[in-house]
């Protein structure tokens, strides 16, 4: 039997997808995967839809602003507060979003606090080992506008993260610090100490970070080979000041903060031990040091 479609016995049959991920290819221009959480179009027609998955492990993502985007909508996509986006990108609530603008989605460790009678910014900061000026800036409040019963965010508050530092079990660490177990020798050996010399002045805090004090200008080394996804020079940037983030082939990210100089650019491929900047005291820093984090990886071995 034949028809306008040809002989039915010789028609080509449908075949299953043979690639590893049948949904890997998506239209609308070239697609870049950033930190395993954000798919963003590098180029394409206006209005291209970017597929977003909420960050589950504290990884840092990038998002390119599209027509119709709002701060609240972007915050909802990534399950963060609007203030977190403003804080990490040195924006104010009145700052307009620009189409094509790249936003750093930087999950900031912190604690929510319900204001009680008698609370002051200083007393709240003391309770959470935080900074009163940061609390005021992040929440847009001052002493006169603290309302009893209202909730405020304590950026870099340490209470919730303090317990696991004395109980470094795999489950406790993963819950509070978004980190895994201590790691095998091979996993630990994947990372290089980011400076030569220096003194550790603070153990694990925030997102699996440590502080290594050293003189201003001390070279900072890439802890492992990878691609630079953030290179910010100048600004507060969520307290990190000038900082660099490198994405590694094992799925982890390393972050280097408070730099006095940034020596690499976004998209640059770096090898282990390559100089990426210099020690400084930009952002929230009381003395010259590098704040070093391993995100979505093993417990910080340094």
């Amino acid at each position: 039997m034949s028809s306008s479609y040809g002989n039915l016995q010789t028609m080509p049959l449908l075949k299953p997808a043979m690639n590893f991920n049948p949904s890997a290819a998506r239209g609308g221009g070239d697609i870049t995967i950033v930190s395993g959480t954000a798919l963003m179009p590098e180029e394409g027609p206006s209005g291209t839809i970017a597929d977003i998955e909420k960050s589950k492990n504290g990884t840092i993502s990038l998002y390119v602003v599209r027509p119709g985007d709002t701060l609240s909508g972007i915050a909802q996509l990534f399950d963060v507060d609007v203030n977190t986006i403003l804080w990490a990108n040195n924006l104010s609530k009145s700052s307009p979003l620009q189409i094509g603008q790249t936003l750093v989605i930087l999950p900031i460790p912190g604690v929510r606090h319900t204001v009680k009678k008698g609370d002051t910014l200083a007393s709240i900061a003391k309770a959470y080992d935080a900074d009163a000026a940061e609390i005021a800036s992040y929440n847009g409040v001052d002493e006169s506008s603290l309302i009893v019963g209202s909730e405020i965010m304590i950026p870099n508050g340490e209470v919730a993260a303090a317990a696991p530092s004395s109980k470094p079990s795999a489950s406790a660490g993963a819950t509070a610090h978004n980190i895994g177990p201590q790691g095998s020798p091979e996993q630990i050996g994947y990372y290089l100490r980011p400076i030569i010399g220096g003194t550790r002045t603070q153990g694990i805090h925030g997102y699996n970070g440590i502080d290594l004090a050293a003189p201003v200008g001390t070279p900072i080394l890439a802890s492992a080979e990878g691609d630079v996804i953030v290179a910010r020079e100048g600004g507060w940037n969520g307290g990190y000041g000038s900082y660099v983030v490198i994405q590694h082939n094992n799925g982890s990210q390393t972050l280097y903060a408070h730099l006095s100089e940034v020596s690499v650019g976004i998209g640059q491929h770096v090898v282990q031990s390559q100089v990426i900047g210099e020690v400084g005291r930009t952002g929230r820093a009381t003395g010259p040091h590098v704040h070093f984090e391993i995100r979505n990886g093993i417990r910080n071995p340094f």
Side-chain angles (χ1 to χ4, degrees):
M1 182 177 179
S2 63
S3 68
S4 58
Y5 298 102
N7 192 320
L8 294 178
Q9 292 180 330
T10 59
M11 285 181 62
L13 299 177
L14 295 177
K15 296 182 179 180
M18 301 302 291
N19 55 310
F20 176 75
N21 181 0
S23 301
R26 298 173 185 267
D30 293 336
I31 300 294
T32 300
I33 300 178
V34 180
S35 77
T37 59
L39 298 178
M40 65 181 187
E42 289 183 332
E43 57 182 331
S46 177
T48 296
I49 299 300
D51 297 316
I52 302 298
E53 296 177 11
K54 295 176 182 177
S55 175
K56 301 177 179 64
N57 45 36
T59 51
I60 297 164
S61 304
L62 304 179
Y63 181 79
V64 177
V65 176
R66 298 176 286 114
D69 274 340
T70 62
L71 278 171
S72 59
I74 297 170
Q76 186 176 9
L77 284 173
F78 288 94
D79 196 20
V80 297
D81 291 338
V82 168
N83 283 352
T84 295
I85 298 177
L86 297 175
W87 183 258
N89 293 276
N90 299 318
L91 300 173
S92 68
K93 291 184 178 179
S94 60
S95 299
L97 292 178
Q98 305 292 332
I99 296 174
Q101 177 182 4
T102 299
L103 298 176
V104 176
I105 310 300
L106 175 62
I108 295 174
V111 181
R112 287 195 179 277
H113 173 79
T114 301
V115 178
K116 301 184 293 294
K117 185 177 180 180
D119 274 350
T120 65
L121 289 173
S123 67
I124 295 170
K126 183 177 180 180
Y128 294 100
D129 192 22
D131 182 86
E134 278 194 355
I135 297 172
S137 174
Y138 184 92
N139 295 281
V141 298
D142 55 28
E143 296 289 0
S144 63
S145 59
L146 281 178
I147 301 173
V148 174
S150 64
E151 278 195 347
I152 59 174
M153 181 74 169
I154 315 300
N156 299 303
E158 289 295 330
V159 168
S165 64
S166 60
K167 299 178 182 180
S169 66
S171 59
T175 300
H177 291 299
N178 295 304
I179 56 179
Q182 187 68 33
S184 66
E186 291 77 17
Q187 291 171 322
I188 295 172
Y190 186 87
Y191 303 98
L192 177 76
R193 196 170 185 271
I195 62 172
I196 297 174
T199 304
R200 191 178 74 171
T201 56
Q202 189 171 7
I204 292 180
H205 60 287
Y207 274 112
N208 196 24
I210 62 165
D211 291 343
L212 299 171
V216 171
T218 299
I220 297 175
L221 314 176
S223 184
E225 182 179 3
D227 298 311
V228 177
I229 64 169
V230 178
R232 288 283 180 93
E233 191 158 19
W236 185 251
N237 298 317
Y240 286 134
S242 297
Y243 75 109
V244 170
V245 179
I246 301 175
Q247 177 77 38
H248 305 291
N249 289 335
N250 68 351
S252 69
Q253 299 172 340
T254 50
L255 180 148
Y256 315 75
H258 310 310
L259 279 60
S260 61
E261 181 177 325
V262 173
S263 306
V264 291
I266 294 175
Q268 183 174 341
H269 184 80
V270 296
V271 297
Q272 188 177 53
S273 80
Q274 180 175 334
V275 175
I276 60 172
E278 297 179 357
V279 169
R281 54 176 303 175
T282 56
R284 187 193 182 200
T286 55
H289 70 280
V290 58
H291 173 82
F292 173 70
E293 297 179 357
I294 298 177
R295 292 184 175 231
N296 195 33
I298 63 169
R299 182 179 176 84
N300 198 318
F302 305 110

